[in-house]
Amino acid sequence: MTSELNHQQDSQQLKQHIKVHKYPLIKVDKIYKYLFQQIQTLPDYITFTDLENNQIIEVDENTHILVLHTPGHARDHCAFYLKEEGVMFTADCILGHGSVAFEDLTEYIRSLHKIKASEPSRLFPGHGEVVNNAMEKIGQYLSLRMAKENQILDLMLRDINVTWTPIEIVEAINLEANKEYSEQLMAVVVRTVGLHLIKLHYDGKVEMVDAENFKQEARIDPYDADNVFRIVNQKWRYIGDEMTSSKL
């Protein structure tokens, strides 16, 4: 009986100390309303504390963790840099295997550079093996995005008077590479190209043809990554300097 009572007391004490530390979503985010509703159903002993970019969490006098807001995979995504050991906990921004899904490529590239600037020695990803060659791995991720971007730009630069939809870009690249995708994988690749075009727009290199009319008719921003599937049938054109390089 005593053991059972102690167990109940220990469980009750644990319930009183559950704290969730999370980077806050802004209210305009589509997922905010859903998460807010879910949070309301949680027990009172679970509380939320907002994280801040560049916040330093002092575990003890010898252990300090730097919070880095690293959106791209998700708007509220964070990585954590253990300063004393020079290691970065990258969660879903950089993985130990496979490839990363991202919702906003422009933000994702910035986040990779933010992690790179810390010059970590090792990466502890949310999935896969520990990465011991941290800087090399980060370079690989940036190079992969650069390669895809260069494919898109090379195609558009062959004749800057030709306009392209994201679907047409994928089909043209696949034809040259003699590739075929399943319908499901094709949707993923087209979405990725769409996100690259949005990033290239912010780099000053491409724009959607007749974007203003599209905004008025569709009532959405074509350059918002949340709307990427709405722009895959829209024509895009190259507008940048042919001699300038991509901003990765």
Side-chain angles (χ1 to χ4, degrees):
M1 177 65 73
T2 302
S3 176
E4 184 176 337
L5 286 173
N6 287 340
H7 178 71
Q8 290 175 354
Q9 290 173 352
D10 290 343
S11 296
Q12 190 63 32
Q13 288 176 349
L14 285 172
K15 286 181 180 180
Q16 294 172 359
H17 295 89
I18 297 178
K19 296 181 180 179
V20 178
H21 298 265
K22 182 185 178 304
Y23 195 86
L25 284 166
I26 58 176
K27 292 184 178 181
V28 295
D29 284 326
K30 294 177 181 178
I31 199 172
Y32 175 88
K33 185 177 180 180
Y34 170 78
L35 288 177
F36 183 79
Q37 290 173 340
Q38 297 303 310
I39 288 171
Q40 305 315 302
T41 66
L42 295 175
D44 292 339
Y45 58 80
I46 300 177
T47 59
F48 283 76
T49 300
D50 288 347
L51 294 173
E52 297 179 9
N53 185 46
N54 292 324
Q55 174 184 350
I56 295 179
I57 300 173
E58 183 176 346
V59 181
D60 56 44
E61 62 180 10
N62 298 313
T63 311
H64 299 83
I65 299 173
L66 174 66
V67 178
L68 293 177
H69 180 217
T70 51
H73 172 74
R75 292 188 189 278
D76 54 352
H77 190 280
C78 288
F80 302 89
Y81 183 56
L82 182 55
K83 301 181 73 173
E84 283 78 8
E85 297 189 23
V87 301
M88 184 78 70
F89 296 89
T90 58
D92 291 330
C93 190
I94 299 175
L95 304 181
H97 62 74
S99 58
V100 171
F102 42 83
E103 62 180 23
D104 188 321
L105 180 60
T106 307
E107 294 283 2
Y108 181 63
I109 294 299
R110 290 174 186 158
S111 294
L112 288 177
H113 281 294
K114 188 181 291 187
I115 291 174
K116 183 180 179 181
S118 295
E119 299 185 348
S121 58
R122 288 190 296 167
L123 307 177
F124 287 80
H127 305 273
E129 303 289 332
V130 173
V131 178
N132 292 312
N133 54 337
M135 297 300 286
E136 181 181 342
K137 187 72 169 182
I138 298 167
Q140 289 172 357
Y141 268 57
L142 288 167
S143 294
L144 179 63
R145 292 298 108 217
M146 175 68 84
K148 175 59 69 176
E149 197 155 290
N150 284 339
Q151 277 187 311
I152 297 169
L153 290 175
D154 288 348
L155 182 65
M156 299 182 85
L157 281 169
R158 291 176 190 175
D159 188 341
I160 60 174
N161 295 311
V162 176
T163 58
W164 301 83
T165 69
I167 293 175
E168 290 169 341
I169 290 173
V170 173
E171 290 174 341
I173 292 174
N174 287 353
L175 183 63
E176 293 184 1
N178 197 26
K179 283 185 178 180
E180 288 188 14
Y181 291 127
S182 66
E183 184 176 344
Q184 184 177 10
L185 187 55
M186 181 70 171
V188 173
V189 177
V190 168
R191 176 181 178 275
T192 299
V193 168
L195 290 173
H196 270 283
L197 289 171
I198 292 171
K199 176 190 173 295
L200 285 167
H201 165 73
Y202 288 113
D203 289 348
K205 291 182 172 297
V206 305
E207 67 179 7
M208 179 190 290
V209 177
D210 211 9
E212 287 305 316
N213 280 342
F214 178 86
K215 285 182 184 180
Q216 293 177 8
E217 293 176 5
R219 296 186 177 180
I220 61 171
D221 181 0
Y223 303 125
D224 184 338
D226 284 345
N227 302 321
V228 63
F229 278 120
R230 299 286 299 275
I231 56 94
V232 295
N233 289 303
Q234 301 301 312
K235 292 285 190 177
W236 292 69
R237 61 187 167 208
Y238 185 83
I239 60 170
D241 184 345
E242 297 181 29
M243 299 302 294
T244 58
S245 57
S246 298
K247 298 177 182 178
L248 277 186

